[in-house]
Structure formats: C-alpha cells, structure tokens
Amino acid sequence: FSPGKNKPFPLKMDDHPLNQRPIACCGLTCCDFITLCKGFPLEDSDQRCIDMYWQRGGNASNTSTVLALLGARTECLCTIANTREKEFLKEDFAKYAVNIENCVYLDDCTAPVSNCIINVQNGSRTILHSNKSLPEFSYKDFQKIDLKKQKYQWVHFEGRPNVPDISSMLQAIDSHNKAHPDEKIITSVELEKTRMEIVPLLDKADYVFVSKEHAQIHGYQCKEDTVEGLGTKIRDSSVIICAWGESGACAKPKHGPIVASPIFPPEGGVVDTLGAGDSFNAGVIFALSRGKMLQEAVSFGCLVAGKKCGFRGFEGLK
Ligand code: ADP
Ligand code: FRU
C-alpha cells in the first residue's frame, strides 16, 4: 500500500460517483481556532506563533470532510447554532461538497469551539473544547429523514453524550434494514471520548471504532487487548476496530481473527495530527464501502491518517 505520485490513493472507483449511495456522519460540528506553534507554549509567556486560523472541526464533521475528499458522496448530520460562526461552517461544508441538507439550525445557543494548539515539532495537538449550550442532533431530527429516499449506504455515528437518542437512531436503521433487506444501510459508531456513558453503544452497530483514549478508561494498554476484550461485547456479526496513535490500528470480527496495520509515516515528517483519528475512521469506512476486505480497510485507514499528519488540515488529501 503506498499512494501513487499523482493519483492520491490506490483505491479506484468501482462506480461513477453520482451512482454511489451516500455515506452520512452524525455528530459534532464545531469551529477549531488553531494556533500553530514552534514548540508547546510556556504558561504566562508572551510569544509569536507561526500561524492562527479557523478550521471546521468536530469528529463527524472531519470524518465527512475526509470521506468527501476520498471521493464518497457524503452528508453530515449535525446541529449548527444560528450565530456568526454559521456562515463559515456552511461555506466550508460547501467547499468540500459535504451535503448538509438535513442539518438543524438552532437559536438561543452558543456555537461550540475548540482552541487547538498544534506543535509543529511533533505535530501534537492539544484541544481545549467548549460546548456550553448546543443541543445534539436528536432522534426527533433523525425521524424527519426519509431513509428510503436518502438511500444511504452507510451511517456513521459519533458517540456523543445523547446515547439514548443515538441508540434510537441505530434501532430505526435496524428496522429499515429488516423491512428493506435489499437496501441495507451499514452502520458504525465511534467510542472516542473518555465517558463510560457511551459504552452501551458497543452492541448497536455493524462496525465499532474504539479510540486509544476510550480503551484506556477500561484499563487496556494496547490495541490488540482492546479488540479482544471489548470485542466480546459487540454483536455477533459486528467488527471492532481500534486505532492506537503511532502503534497503528487493528480490527477483529467478533468471531474472527485480528487484522492489524502499522502506521504510514508522512514523507516530510509529522506536522499536524488534529483529526488523525477522524481521518482513520473515514479511510476504513471508505474502503469497506467500496468492498475492500477488513485487512485492506484498516491499512487504508492508517494510510489516509498518516498522509493527513503530514500537512495542515485535510485539503492535501484531495
Ligand atoms: P486521535 O486523532 O483520535 O488521537 P490516534 O492518535 O489514535 O487518533 O491516530 C489515529 C491513526 O492516525 C493511527 O492509527 C495512525 O494510523 C495515524 N497516526 C497517528 N499518529 C501518527 C503519526 N505520528 N504518524 C503517522 N500516522 C499517525
Ligand atoms: C478532532 C476534533 C476537533 C474538535 C475536537 C472535538 O478529532 O474533532 O476537530 O475540536 O476533536 O472534541
């Protein structure tokens, strides 16, 4: 697996993009205020940084961006506050051709923002997030979507705090799949944050992404132990996937063997790891949606994430 010189990735389109069914990502969209620094700042110092800029962020938002850059028809299902940040977010979704027709715009709340300090020496990202009052995309919002009309191929959920709503949305897709087996929608869920409340989501989707940070709150110290341990809690036909920073990633079907991939370090060195995990998820989902085997999909996730770490933002994945 290595990216071609001019062709971005080795995965070819099986189909014309307009004929593909869309992939939707449900979760957070926020504004990332990024400060690019030569080194991690000293507390109470007064210094110059390399750059400061805004970027659209949030796990679901980033994953949808990367999916769109890889060539998938993509939609983001999220809430957006009716505040000054709204136009920036909408324009940026449009720039990447991410559909936001089912997003919900809300009054009387503040927009979630993250202060992200990126140290260009090692690409580390330190995130200081604030979300004071933006309601989550709810089951009620989801019920307004006509699944038969949208023809999603895949719906990916970020494990946000509204777990009962996310469970209901996944259940609604299960019911749709039972009623229309020829139009099956594949589901995935991400357990990324260090909150135990999201654990009940483990047995609610076809693919379950567990982050290193989340695995660590269960006491796991490596990706293999994570997929072995938490893999007992997924559905019989499901797959658990775990990315572990510089140790790469692995995956395991509940009753199958582990497959793993090392990282693909970017040629020019690591400059920005913000959204590496979101890019990994997008790479895995994209490869599986195009019919690739699990091993290939995990490698592709690492390839996409590794490539992303080599430049600022996501645009370079085009
Ligand atoms: P998160 O962004 O959620 O903290 P991780 O740090 O676990 O995610 O990284 C996700 C994936 O990104 C890893 O599995 C790996 O493939 C890739 N990755 C992370 N750090 C690096 C790095 N320094 N070099 C190359 N790839 C990396
Ligand atoms: C990266 C990210 C950022 C956002 C933060 C929210 O994974 O989605 O874009 O600020 O995490 O937790």
Side-chain angles (χ1 to χ4, degrees), residues 28 30 32 57-59 62 114 116 127 129 192-193 274-275 278:
L28 180 74
C30 66
D32 286 352
N59 293 14
N62 292 337
S114 291
C116 308
I127 301 171
H129 185 66
E192 193 233 25
K193 300 285 186 274
L274 183 65
D278 307 330

Side-chain angles (χ1 to χ4, degrees), residues 47-107:
Q47 56 187 280
R48 286 206 170 205
C49 56
I50 300 169
D51 204 352
M52 265 186 184
Y53 49 94
W54 286 31
Q55 195 169 287
R56 175 168 50 82
N59 293 14
S61 158
N62 292 337
T63 297
S64 63
T65 299
V66 176
L67 279 164
L69 288 167
L70 292 173
R73 277 179 70 196
T74 311
E75 178 167 349
C76 189
L77 301 173
C78 63
T79 50
I80 294 178
N82 279 320
T83 55
R84 75 187 89 176
E85 291 86 357
K86 178 172 81 174
E87 284 316 310
F88 166 77
L89 296 172
K90 284 176 71 175
E91 277 168 28
D92 198 68
F93 272 122
K95 184 173 149 195
Y96 289 88
V98 176
N99 179 2
I100 49 167
E101 67 179 7
N102 290 304
C103 284
V104 176
Y105 301 91
L106 296 161
D107 291 328

Side-chain angles (χ1 to χ4, degrees), residues 259-304:
V259 296
S261 168
I263 57 166
F264 292 81
E267 267 169 40
V270 174
V271 295
D272 169 10
T273 60
L274 183 65
D278 307 330
S279 304
F280 169 80
N281 296 352
V284 174
I285 293 170
F286 182 74
L288 292 170
S289 76
R290 298 294 167 101
K292 303 292 168 189
M293 302 299 283
L294 188 58
Q295 168 69 73
E296 220 176 340
V298 172
S299 298
F300 190 66
C302 288
L303 180 65
V304 174

Side-chain angles (χ1 to χ4, degrees), residues 187-240:
T187 56
S188 52
V189 68
E190 177 194 37
L191 279 71
E192 193 233 25
K193 300 285 186 274
T194 54
R195 329 183 168 101
M196 276 298 183
E197 305 98 90
I198 59 178
V199 174
L201 294 172
L202 269 172
D203 67 352
K204 308 263 181 315
D206 299 317
Y207 293 89
V208 181
F209 291 91
V210 177
S211 74
K212 170 180 169 183
E213 282 71 26
H214 184 80
Q216 283 170 335
I217 62 165
H218 294 267
Y220 296 111
Q221 280 164 22
C222 68
K223 58 188 190 302
E224 290 80 7
D225 289 352
T226 304
V227 299
E228 287 283 2
L230 292 181
T232 59
K233 302 198 164 131
I234 64 172
R235 290 179 175 177
D236 276 348
S237 55
S238 296
V239 174
I240 185 163

Side-chain angles (χ1 to χ4, degrees), residues 91-216:
E91 277 168 28
D92 198 68
F93 272 122
K95 184 173 149 195
Y96 289 88
V98 176
N99 179 2
I100 49 167
E101 67 179 7
N102 290 304
C103 284
V104 176
Y105 301 91
L106 296 161
D107 291 328
D108 306 321
C109 52
T110 51
V113 293
S114 291
N115 258 305
C116 308
I117 301 168
I118 296 175
N119 176 359
V120 295
Q121 268 173 33
N122 56 14
S124 79
R125 91 290 182 266
T126 305
I127 301 171
L128 302 163
H129 185 66
S130 154
N131 187 353
K132 288 184 282 191
S133 55
L134 183 74
E136 299 290 339
F137 190 88
S138 67
Y139 176 52
K140 219 169 146 200
D141 300 327
F142 189 77
Q143 278 178 308
K144 293 185 188 133
I145 302 174
D146 180 351
L147 293 179
K148 265 198 82 64
K149 186 175 138 240
Q150 295 293 11
K151 297 200 180 319
Y152 295 128
Q153 180 188 8
W154 193 305
V155 184
H156 171 70
F157 292 88
E158 177 185 341
R160 305 279 313 153
N162 59 334
V163 174
D165 277 61
I166 298 170
S167 300
S168 299
M169 294 189 244
L170 283 158
Q171 221 165 48
I173 297 177
D174 284 344
S175 304
H176 163 92
N177 288 344
K178 270 204 191 104
H180 311 284
D182 48 332
E183 287 168 29
K184 184 178 172 359
I185 301 171
I186 304 169
T187 56
S188 52
V189 68
E190 177 194 37
L191 279 71
E192 193 233 25
K193 300 285 186 274
T194 54
R195 329 183 168 101
M196 276 298 183
E197 305 98 90
I198 59 178
V199 174
L201 294 172
L202 269 172
D203 67 352
K204 308 263 181 315
D206 299 317
Y207 293 89
V208 181
F209 291 91
V210 177
S211 74
K212 170 180 169 183
E213 282 71 26
H214 184 80
Q216 283 170 335

